[in-house]
Amino acid sequence: MRPVLYLSIEGILSHLGFSQVFRVIEGLSNRGLPYALVSIERQRDLEDKARLAEVEDRARKAGIHWRWGVYREGGSPAAVAENMGRLSAIATQQVLRHRSVLLHARAYHAGVVALGLQTTLARRWIFDARGYWIDERLEEGRWFTTPARLKVARAVERRLFSRASAVVTLTGLQADDVRRGDFGQPRGPVVVIPTCADFDEFHPRRPDELGRVPHEIIEQLKGRLVLGVVGSLNRAYLGRETARLAARVLARSPQAQVLVLTAQRKDWTQAFAAEGVPEDRLTITRVDHEAIPFWMNLMTWGVLLLTPETKAKTAMMPTKLAEFFASGVRVCVHGCNREVGEWVSRAGAGLVLDSVSDVALDAAADVLAAAPAGPNREARERARAHFSLATGLDRYEQLVRSLSG
């Protein structure tokens, strides 16, 4: 079988790219589906030579032929065009080198490249949509600011969904849109594969098994009710409401602590300080990718207070949700989209907030402060069938083999 060529403008040296791109390709390669990979990597990630060598070694052992270009920062139309041009040039070389007949394109940028290769080289391709990119820009007030620009963008979007040999979505909500014909008649299957977590890596551990966590942190948080926040404080997070909820829980439970794993220490520190969270009950730290599963075992609750559902967000699934499920961490969630809340309820994994009003936060704080000790193993098992990496690989494998046959 000729290698499937995976195209991603998301670098695999980042935590998200490694988790959601490399692990998938590595898993499929280990199942006997050969893959080649083209990605665009940020300069700051490439400067971490030890990390680069580690990922290159893992790719080599899995039989993945990886070629990368350097990402131009900025997000301007010129920067995006340059990044896509770089991805397209390397992808064309690799298609011809490996004689790949199937392409696997992650998100809109890579999808446009794959669409071009389909036209010039008659290749089949999987559109791994990863969201509604145009609607995300519209909600940010960027890019498609005139009717003419939006019309052109929608025409390209329609071609992406209607000309791909198969479409993969993160949510059933987006899959319903595609199957309904909102982007024209799909040519092939439409498969839902959410952001997945490796349930063998993310799993409940005892305090004496947390070798990647400093001893003083383990002693500080052991046996306590720990509210966990993971990730950047960006426009998707309700930072102020998260801090308000934390302050209320701390007021109700003398044993409660807050643990934040992020590279944005300053921003989160200011958010919690503004709501009166005491410094001695707050730990904010940056953690290496490989250590995150161990740190998550310290958490009782994972707090995911996100902005309300919009068109763009109906196609999103928070990366950390699967990792919380797998780790047995209870989830307090608001926003993103209704499918997220439905999965938390279905798994029995925690608490879904319809509102972040003061009344709602007070009620939520009562629930969080009274949580039982220990991981939620039942919710972990209920979520496994949809959110585990193994399940995601099963679905990808079936799809890729059907298109490669």
Side-chain angles (χ1 to χ4, degrees):
M1 177 179 173
R2 296 172 185 171
V4 179
L5 183 62
Y6 195 107
L7 310 178
S8 176
I9 210 162
E10 175 80 44
I12 65 167
L13 295 175
S14 70
H15 175 66
L16 178 64
F18 187 79
S19 171
Q20 301 301 317
V21 176
F22 182 79
R23 284 186 179 279
V24 169
I25 298 172
E26 182 183 43
L28 292 173
S29 295
N30 289 334
R31 291 182 176 206
L33 287 172
Y35 259 83
L37 167 65
V38 177
S39 64
I40 305 298
E41 305 290 334
R42 284 176 163 77
Q43 184 62 45
R44 64 176 180 270
D45 293 328
L46 291 168
E47 290 171 356
D48 186 344
K49 299 303 182 183
R51 172 71 175 166
L52 175 60
E54 177 189 352
V55 176
E56 286 180 329
D57 184 59
R58 284 186 62 162
R60 190 164 34 264
K61 289 178 178 177
I64 300 167
H65 189 272
W66 176 34
R67 288 293 178 267
W68 47 264
V70 179
Y71 184 90
R72 176 179 168 183
E73 303 281 356
S76 67
V80 171
E82 182 176 329
N83 291 329
M84 289 181 62
R86 196 163 290 152
L87 181 67
S88 181
I90 303 173
T92 301
Q93 294 171 0
Q94 296 307 303
V95 166
L96 297 176
R97 174 176 180 172
H98 297 289
R99 296 184 297 158
S100 299
V101 296
L102 180 63
L103 311 178
H104 189 159
R106 176 185 172 85
Y108 279 46
H109 298 83
V112 171
V113 172
L115 186 63
L117 292 172
Q118 179 191 42
T119 301
T120 58
L121 298 176
R123 296 308 195 254
R124 296 192 297 276
W125 65 289
I126 298 168
F127 181 34
D128 215 328
R130 316 305 297 183
Y132 281 136
W133 186 79
I134 294 173
D135 291 282
E136 291 174 32
R137 303 290 86 74
L138 287 172
E139 291 173 12
E140 294 167 358
R142 298 197 293 133
W143 282 60
F144 310 110
T145 54
T146 68
R149 290 177 182 174
L150 182 57
K151 182 178 180 180
V152 171
R154 290 299 192 196
V156 173
E157 180 181 51
R158 189 175 182 87
R159 287 170 67 85
L160 291 176
F161 282 97
S162 64
R163 295 194 60 183
S165 302
V167 175
V168 175
T169 69
L170 295 175
T171 68
L173 297 172
Q174 187 180 27
D176 290 342
D177 292 345
V178 179
R179 294 182 183 122
R180 189 168 54 238
D182 290 4
F183 307 94
Q185 185 62 40
R187 290 190 173 191
V190 181
V191 182
V192 179
I193 306 176
T195 48
C196 296
D198 186 340
F199 273 52
D200 292 330
E201 181 177 5
F202 289 87
H203 63 84
R205 295 176 174 88
R206 300 190 310 270
D208 61 349
E209 297 175 324
L210 305 182
R212 302 299 293 267
V213 182
H215 178 72
E216 61 271 19
I217 297 292
I218 297 174
E219 290 302 311
Q220 176 188 347
L221 300 180
K222 184 170 61 176
R224 293 182 177 272
L225 188 152
V226 179
L227 304 184
V229 177
V230 184
S232 302
L233 180 53
N234 54 37
R235 62 174 60 91
Y237 272 93
L238 296 177
R240 182 168 60 181
E241 289 79 2
T242 299
R244 286 178 177 173
L245 176 60
R248 285 165 164 79
V249 176
L250 297 183
R252 286 162 171 76
S253 173
Q255 293 298 310
Q257 295 279 135
V258 179
L259 173 62
V260 184
L261 308 183
T262 183
Q264 292 183 313
R265 180 182 178 88
K266 180 180 179 181
D267 294 339
W268 276 113
T269 298
Q270 292 175 344
F272 284 105
E275 299 302 324
V277 174
E279 289 186 15
D280 62 347
R281 301 182 71 182
L282 174 64
T283 301
I284 302 180
T285 186
R286 182 172 186 168
V287 175
D288 290 339
H289 306 323
E290 295 78 8
I292 288 179
F294 297 86
W295 283 79
M296 291 184 94
N297 292 143
L298 296 167
M299 300 175 183
T300 312
W301 287 93
V303 181
L304 279 175
L305 302 189
L306 307 170
T307 52
E309 179 174 317
T310 62
K311 178 61 176 178
K313 290 183 176 61
T314 60
M316 296 180 179
M317 186 59 65
T319 307
K320 294 305 168 194
L321 183 63
E323 295 174 358
F324 283 141
F325 283 153
S327 301
V329 177
R330 293 165 176 79
V331 184
C332 178
V333 68
H334 168 80
C336 192
N337 61 60
R338 56 193 177 278
E339 189 167 322
V340 173
E342 288 169 1
W343 272 110
V344 171
S345 297
R346 188 181 309 178
L351 180 65
V352 180
L353 304 186
D354 295 328
S355 164
V356 287
S357 66
D358 286 339
V359 172
L361 293 179
D362 278 330
D366 290 336
V367 175
L368 270 60
N376 190 341
R377 297 179 184 275
E378 293 79 11
R380 166 184 158 85
E381 294 309 312
R382 294 189 192 104
R384 182 194 290 270
H386 189 63
F387 287 95
S388 72
L389 177 61
T391 298
L393 290 174
D394 288 343
R395 294 173 183 174
Y396 275 123
E397 181 180 4
Q398 182 179 5
L399 179 61
V400 170
R401 290 194 185 280
S402 71
L403 294 175
S404 301

